[in-house]
Amino acid sequence: HAKFTNRENVMSITVLLLQMIKLFALMCLGYVLYKINIIDDHTRAHLTKFVLFVTTPALIIHSFVENMGNIGKGEMGGLFGIAFAMYAVLAVLSIIIVLVLRIGKKQRAMYMFMTVFANVGFMGFPVVEAIYGTQGVFYTAIFNCMFNILIFTFGVFLINYGQEDDGGIQSVISLKKLLNPGVLCCIVSVVIFLADIPVHPVINELLDDVGGLTSTLAMLLVGSSLAVMNPKELFGDFRIYIYAAVKQIAIPFLMWPLIHMFAGDGMLAAVKLIMASMPVAKSAVLFAKEYGRDENL
């Protein structure tokens, strides 16, 4: 049993390292493509919209279609409830973090956004699959669905909060911003799942192909964003190092007792802990660019 556990741990670490290398390689490629003018600012702006409003919604719908019939509707509701509770706790922690680190008003929204929304998709899925197989992947899919629902609602509100000078909260929470393709496709996905609406295999394959573009394009955009920065900016903010330690070490330790309380000590709890341990989502850069925030941060 000990040998099996050690082998399992080595496998999970290897998968994580390979994903980190893949992420870094895609970022480097985006960096180089911007430097040699294959990607320019005009291309970045349009690719950002394409990823946010086309490939990501396709990925969401496909994940629901693929998991139809694998779990009961009542159990799925419970899983969504656990995922929502985790995000609620992360939202509270994000407020505490910006106050303790004394983050300026202009950057508070970005730090809170980065705290709440972790990379549960691109890095979360392969790590969980290597450790727990298909059942773990389904739990991750539920968490990823809640991520997408919240990032296109609470995330839009959060990244815009404090940015508009007049109109207050009412101007931030507007139908135009909240009823975007990301939210609409989540609604469609839930309806398809609950009503057992059949989706033609060709359509599902098309959704898979389009959604599969998300990770690659997003990381290329992250790399191209770094290409416009001064190298000193990348490593000069000491507060970022403190924040990274809090995000990657302190938060998972703080989250574990709550995860254990709601999910027990089985596979579901372990998957949720992995989700809480993921780094900042690549969506932070895309949303920052789309809504005029500090994408350099």
Side-chain angles (χ1 to χ4, degrees):
H1 177 74
K3 290 182 178 179
F4 178 79
T5 302
N6 289 335
R7 194 181 306 117
E8 188 178 68
N9 290 336
V10 170
M11 183 187 300
S12 63
I13 293 172
T14 301
V15 170
L16 179 59
L17 288 175
L18 289 174
Q19 288 303 309
M20 293 287 285
I21 293 170
K22 184 178 179 180
L23 280 169
F24 185 71
L26 286 170
M27 289 170 56
C28 290
L29 179 59
Y31 184 96
V32 171
L33 291 177
Y34 186 87
K35 288 296 186 181
I36 63 177
N37 294 322
I38 291 179
I39 294 178
D40 57 16
D41 292 333
H42 179 77
T43 305
R44 288 175 63 220
H46 285 278
L47 280 179
T48 298
K49 291 182 182 293
F50 180 64
V51 171
L52 286 177
F53 302 132
V54 179
T55 67
T56 299
L59 187 64
I60 297 170
I61 297 175
H62 174 71
S63 68
F64 268 88
V65 173
E66 283 292 293
N67 289 288
M68 288 175 63
N70 291 343
I71 191 172
K73 296 178 177 62
E75 188 178 353
M76 187 187 75
L79 293 174
F80 269 108
I82 293 173
F84 180 81
M86 275 196 62
Y87 278 110
V89 173
L90 287 171
V92 173
L93 288 176
S94 72
I95 298 173
I96 297 173
I97 288 172
V98 297
L99 293 177
V100 171
L101 294 183
R102 297 182 179 180
I103 306 299
K105 290 184 178 180
K106 290 184 178 180
Q107 291 188 329
R108 282 182 184 176
M110 279 304 303
Y111 271 93
M112 293 172 68
F113 188 98
M114 293 188 297
T115 302
V116 174
F117 297 106
N119 198 335
V120 301
F122 183 65
M123 292 191 69
F125 277 115
V127 172
V128 172
E129 183 178 21
I131 302 173
Y132 296 110
T134 55
Q135 186 176 355
V137 169
F138 181 74
Y139 290 147
T140 307
I142 294 293
F143 200 91
N144 195 52
C145 288
M146 180 57 68
F147 170 93
N148 284 296
I149 291 171
L150 290 176
I151 201 170
F152 282 106
T153 50
F154 179 65
V156 173
F157 162 76
L158 192 60
I159 209 163
N160 280 283
Y161 185 69
Q163 186 167 243
E164 301 184 29
D165 296 328
D166 48 16
I169 294 179
Q170 290 77 10
S171 65
V172 175
I173 306 179
S174 65
L175 288 178
K176 183 178 179 180
K177 289 175 180 174
L178 297 185
L179 289 182
N180 52 61
V183 173
L184 293 176
C185 82
C186 286
I187 294 173
V188 170
S189 300
V190 171
V191 171
I192 290 174
F193 186 92
L194 294 179
D196 293 321
I197 299 174
V199 176
H200 196 279
V202 174
I203 296 177
N204 192 33
E205 288 180 14
L206 178 62
L207 291 170
D208 186 23
D209 290 340
V210 175
L213 299 172
T214 303
S215 292
T216 299
L217 290 178
M219 296 314 301
L220 290 175
L221 287 168
V222 172
S224 65
S225 296
L226 295 177
V228 303
M229 294 180 61
N230 186 316
K232 292 182 179 179
E233 292 183 78
L234 294 177
F235 306 102
D237 189 351
F238 185 74
R239 187 183 284 112
I240 290 292
Y241 295 94
I242 299 175
Y243 172 76
V246 172
K247 175 76 174 68
Q248 303 305 131
I249 301 174
I251 287 182
F253 274 106
L254 291 172
M255 292 292 293
W256 173 245
L258 295 173
I259 293 172
H260 182 73
M261 183 186 304
F262 286 101
D265 58 357
M267 183 189 301
L268 176 60
V271 170
K272 298 308 176 188
L273 181 63
I274 292 172
M275 297 298 98
S277 304
M278 289 291 106
V280 175
K282 57 187 178 292
S283 306
V285 176
L286 304 182
F287 273 71
K289 181 171 178 59
E290 175 68 18
Y291 294 101
R293 281 296 186 180
D294 186 359
E295 63 176 301
N296 290 349
L297 172 65

